[in-house]
Amino acid sequence: MHVTHLSLADFRSYERAEVSLGPGVTTFVGPNGQGKTNLVEAVGYLASLGSHRVSSDAPLVRMGAQRAVVRALVRQGDRQQLVELELNPGKANRARINRSSQVKPRDVLGIVRTVLFAPEDLSLVKGDPGERRGFLDELVTARSPRMAGVRSDYDRVLKQRNSLLKSAVMARRYGGRPGTPSATKSAGADTSTLDVWDEHLARVGAELLARRLELISALRPLADKAYERLAPGGGPVGLEYKGAPADGSRGGLDADGRGAAVSPAELYDGLLAALRDSRRAEMERGVTLVGPHRDDLVLKLGELPAKGYASHGESWSLALSLRLASYELLKSEGNEPVLVLDDVFAELDVQRRARLAELVASGEQVLVTAAVPEDVPEVLAGARFCVAGGEVVAE
Ligand SMILES: Nc1ncnc2c1ncn2[C@@H]1O[C@H](COP(=O)(O)OP(=O)(O)O)[C@@H](O)[C@H]1O
Ligand SMILES: [Mg+2]
């Protein structure tokens, strides 16, 4: 698919912007701070209902405005759709598809698809597990928009289970003298309610876990291949899931975190057992200590984990490989995503730049941003816009 027109109103620094786009490569060039990333961030928002830079919507609305609107005309084959999102921080966002407002924002997922490369990607390798979980879950949702609902169910169940744990901790610390009938009764009630929440968490968690594991086994060969093309001889790349039921002693992931063939039912049993095992510690600390929200994706180069061992250049190659693998995967599943390369060439040495450019040049639509045109390799010559002073002007 590709975007043929992008309209913004009160999004980030733009009071208004209208940008007509073609297939192939389009480059946005302009000094820093002029609004290049803001443009591609808007495209990314339509694809994921979130920004790659901030976790809330408020900064996306132009300072002083009440709401922002992002609208795109999208072409997939010979089909054209108009998608529109209105961002209302603090209130419900609204969506329209082909001018119909009988839709929810989540219904928009899947119309615009993107794979975004950004300077922040280095934290996929060097950052906390949360970065990698976010990477997995965003891709899980891009492959299957229905999973947006599962993810928010999981977050909701986790929040409720955590507040129950917290109140159990408080009750034990401060409520009633031990051994009094009321203290015993309330502790008993809490435990049986927790059992129910364990089951909810394990059920929704197992569904998310199954999707993550399936995704990782699909990505593994693609990431390895991408790495070999970016940095020949530097691999192989290893992707291993590290999760709660991963100790190999019962149903769940096997010891090296592969577990692609593990069924959701086995994952459920494993997760439930892990929750039961950590109950005592959780009752001490008042938070849920096992589950997909604590897991990690371990990235390896050869035998070594990348985090803490890989050089800066290797880390970059690995991060780019994950994005390239995401692109190949989505493309192989039928609807080619828009490739967005936000200011990445400036981060790379000449050789990585050239290899990356070659790998993305033939994409259906490639949006590139750069402060100076010299940073963008020749093979990515295409349409060009200048971004400065709040204006996006075709060259
Ligand atoms: N909500 C907002 N309202 C007004 N201006 C904003 C808002 N969010 C970001 N900006 C401005 O946008 C500019 C950054 O734009 P950005 O697209 O990141 O620049 P670049 O061209 O370097 O990629 C900054 O000057 C910032 O102050
Ligand atoms: Mg930028």
Side-chain angles (χ1 to χ4, degrees), residues 348-371:
L348 307 176
D349 58 45
V350 177
Q351 206 165 45
R352 279 189 187 83
R353 256 186 216 187
R355 288 186 174 135
L356 175 64
E358 239 159 71
L359 290 170
V360 299
S362 61
E364 178 176 340
Q365 185 169 53
V366 188
L367 307 179
V368 180
T369 78

Side-chain angles (χ1 to χ4, degrees), residues 32 36-37 53 342-343 369:
N32 284 326
K36 303 180 300 292
T37 300
R53 293 196 287 189
D342 182 27
D343 223 3
T369 78

Side-chain angles (χ1 to χ4, degrees), residues 154 157 195-205 268:
Y154 185 82
V157 172
D195 288 345
V196 176
W197 285 104
D198 283 6
E199 283 161 26
H200 285 319
L201 198 79
R203 183 175 42 76
V204 189
Y268 172 84

Side-chain angles (χ1 to χ4, degrees), residues 91 131 255 346 390:
K91 287 185 283 177
E131 304 280 346

Side-chain angles (χ1 to χ4, degrees), residues 12-13 31-38 53 59-63:
R12 289 284 198 186
S13 52
N32 284 326
Q34 297 299 303
K36 303 180 300 292
T37 300
N38 294 347
R53 293 196 287 189
L60 306 179
V61 176
R62 194 170 64 92
M63 194 58 81

Side-chain angles (χ1 to χ4, degrees), residues 129-191:
E131 304 280 346
R132 288 174 290 279
R133 290 194 296 267
F135 164 76
L136 291 175
D137 290 347
E138 207 173 285
L139 197 49
V140 155
T141 311
R143 294 177 83 199
S144 168
R146 192 186 73 76
M147 290 303 291
V150 173
R151 283 169 64 191
S152 74
D153 284 351
Y154 185 82
D155 292 343
R156 187 177 42 80
V157 172
L158 179 64
K159 218 167 144 190
Q160 280 171 330
R161 190 175 183 279
N162 280 342
S163 65
L164 199 64
L165 281 170
K166 197 166 280 164
S167 56
V169 169
M170 296 304 264
R172 274 210 333 197
R173 273 192 207 149
Y174 306 111
R177 275 171 291 121
T180 61
S182 73
T184 314
K185 192 165 161 246
S186 78
D190 283 342
T191 315

Side-chain angles (χ1 to χ4, degrees), residues 165 169 172-173 278-287:
L165 281 170
V169 169
R172 274 210 333 197
R173 273 192 207 149
S278 62
R279 173 72 67 86
R280 183 189 281 272
E282 290 181 336
M283 292 292 276
E284 296 288 322
R285 297 186 34 194
V287 286

